[in-house]
Amino acid sequence: MNFDYTDDQKFLKNEARKFLEANCSTAKVRKVLDDDGKAYDEELWKAVAAQGWLGAAIPEEHGGLGLGHIELCAIAEELGRAVAPIPFASTVYFLAEALMLAGSDAQKAALLPKIAAGEVIGCVATSEGPGVLTASALQASVSGGKLSGVKLPVTDGDIATHALVLAKEAGQAGLFLVDLSSGVTREALKTLDPTRDAAKLTFSGAAAERLGGAGEGFALLEQVTDRAAVLLAFEQTGGADKALEMAKAYALERYAFGRVIASYQAIKHKLADIYVKNELARSNAYYGAWALNTNAPELPLAASAARIAASEAFWFAAKENIQTHGGIGFTWEVDAHLYYRRSRQLSLVAGAPRVWKERLVSHLERRNAA
């Protein structure tokens, strides 16, 4: 069995890397980071849309390329390497996947072509503050097709045109598609990674359309996050690989006591430990990609494993990259902190690793009991 990309997928991945190296340098990332009034790189967003990446997994009849999820995983990996300051994950991994999974024909026809064209930006509004959201604690509600409630923090909520919102309807949790053009007020929130902004959304009579059946909110949200977790794992793996490359390059050029620091055992151990975690994350991500692309019953288990391994690998690689750079590693001028910030942001955007560990154990228990 071949677990690697095909030649065509490798070509796509290489071309994506070339494109991002030319259009998404760390200097461009810093322009978003340093400008409080700039939430994302609009020029890069339009360029990515022109490349067709937003519609990579969207069927051709809905304006996409119809390539499949493996190709989308390849693109995600390169976006992770570049720490691209665009709302790609919120729009493609969550909104587009939710529509393809549970949207009506009318909803798909209305929004998927616009997502592929870059005319729609998505966000996911589930959290209502600290703690795990349960059915009994859910406060946002829909009545007569109108949504009321508060959601925070919402990644990309300050720039999104549409949102996936978890809310109650007639006492049952549902997942709703909400047009953010009216009936909502937004308050920007400070985050560790300003290249991926977050907001507090207050809904007051916003029009809401349910995805899926009544009472299926949490079950549908879990399916969407399983799919998004695999794609996020590739972003995290790409970022972890880049952090390792940065640490290795610096270790080979920095001298201390007449020797390059890469010759010291402590540095060798750091780089080796990063490599091991990265390869473990890659293996789990590939398993998740197979499960996602084939819609295999193992997807929930594979997604949980991929999410946990990738979150750990990216955080560890970003942290050790800073340590390898020594005294300059934590300074603003060195790019190491860009990857540390993104590692923290990605580890929380679809639920913390602790939540995924609990899900993994639950999936294993159910499988073993069967």
Side-chain angles (χ1 to χ4, degrees):
M1 185 178 292
N2 182 11
F3 288 100
D4 199 3
Y5 292 115
T6 65
D7 289 342
D8 287 344
Q9 290 161 355
K10 288 178 181 177
F11 177 79
L12 172 63
K13 188 172 182 294
N14 289 335
E15 290 301 306
R17 180 172 300 188
K18 292 177 185 177
F19 174 84
L20 290 168
E21 286 174 348
N23 295 277
C24 187
S25 64
T26 53
K28 293 198 71 173
V29 177
R30 284 176 176 275
K31 286 183 179 180
V32 178
L33 179 68
D34 293 335
D35 188 348
D36 291 338
K38 194 171 186 179
Y40 72 112
D41 189 327
E42 295 184 42
E43 182 181 339
L44 178 61
W45 179 251
K46 293 176 182 176
V48 163
Q51 291 292 312
W53 295 358
L54 297 172
I58 293 176
E60 292 182 78
E61 60 264 32
H62 292 303
L65 298 181
L67 295 177
H69 285 94
I70 301 296
E71 288 77 8
L72 183 55
C73 287
I75 292 170
E77 189 172 348
E78 295 308 315
L79 289 169
R81 281 181 60 90
V83 286
I86 53 176
F88 195 92
S90 299
T91 305
V92 178
Y93 308 165
F94 287 96
L95 181 60
E97 288 297 320
L99 285 167
M100 290 190 289
L101 183 67
S104 66
D105 290 341
Q107 289 168 336
K108 291 177 183 178
L111 285 180
L112 287 178
K114 292 184 178 180
I115 290 175
E119 298 171 5
V120 163
I121 294 175
C123 68
V124 186
T126 57
S127 174
E128 296 182 350
V132 177
L133 186 63
T134 61
S136 59
L138 185 61
Q139 295 297 312
S141 62
V142 173
S143 178
K146 301 295 182 180
L147 170 67
S148 299
V150 177
K151 295 290 183 177
L152 80 159
V154 180
T155 300
D156 298 317
D158 53 338
I159 56 174
T161 62
H162 293 76
L164 291 175
V165 182
L166 187 67
K168 291 187 295 187
E169 182 182 39
Q172 295 181 306
L175 190 63
F176 294 87
L177 177 65
V178 180
D179 187 333
L180 299 179
S181 60
S182 62
V184 59
T185 56
R186 318 187 199 209
E187 178 186 342
L189 303 175
K190 290 187 177 182
T191 68
L192 181 62
D193 184 5
T195 65
R196 293 296 308 280
D197 280 2
K200 174 183 177 181
L201 302 185
T202 302
F203 298 97
S204 52
E209 301 177 16
R210 190 178 66 240
L211 295 178
E216 295 180 356
F218 279 99
L220 181 55
L221 179 62
E222 185 169 332
Q223 292 179 60
V224 173
T225 53
D226 280 342
R227 302 166 82 85
V230 175
L231 297 162
L232 288 168
F234 276 87
E235 268 204 35
Q236 292 169 305
T237 301
D241 282 345
K242 181 61 177 179
L244 174 57
E245 290 175 17
M246 292 169 64
K248 176 186 173 184
Y250 183 77
L252 288 171
E253 69 179 25
R254 176 73 167 98
Y255 277 77
F257 305 107
R259 295 164 53 184
V260 292
I261 64 172
S263 66
Y264 289 103
Q265 198 79 347
I267 298 297
K268 291 179 181 179
H269 286 172
K270 283 184 182 294
L271 300 183
D273 288 343
I274 297 172
Y275 176 79
V276 169
K277 289 183 181 293
N278 285 8
E279 289 306 299
L280 178 62
R282 191 183 319 283
S283 297
N284 281 286
Y286 280 16
Y287 178 39
W290 164 81
L292 174 59
N293 198 54
T294 59
N295 200 27
E298 294 91 344
L299 177 58
L301 184 64
S304 299
R307 176 69 174 160
I308 295 164
S311 295
E312 170 67 18
F314 195 9
W315 168 78
F316 185 80
K319 174 177 71 75
E320 292 301 299
N321 181 34
I322 292 173
Q323 292 294 316
T324 302
H325 277 75
I328 68 169
F330 60 84
T331 61
W332 190 265
E333 291 75 17
V334 174
D335 290 335
H337 68 95
L338 300 178
Y339 289 84
Y340 187 82
R341 292 171 186 275
R342 186 57 60 85
S343 74
R344 296 288 77 197
Q345 190 270 336
L346 288 179
S347 72
L348 295 173
V349 71
R354 176 180 60 83
V355 175
W356 287 93
K357 289 176 182 178
E358 293 174 356
R359 286 173 69 166
L360 177 61
V361 170
S362 297
H363 291 315
L364 289 171
E365 288 176 341
R366 286 198 290 269
R367 187 189 69 176
N368 293 339

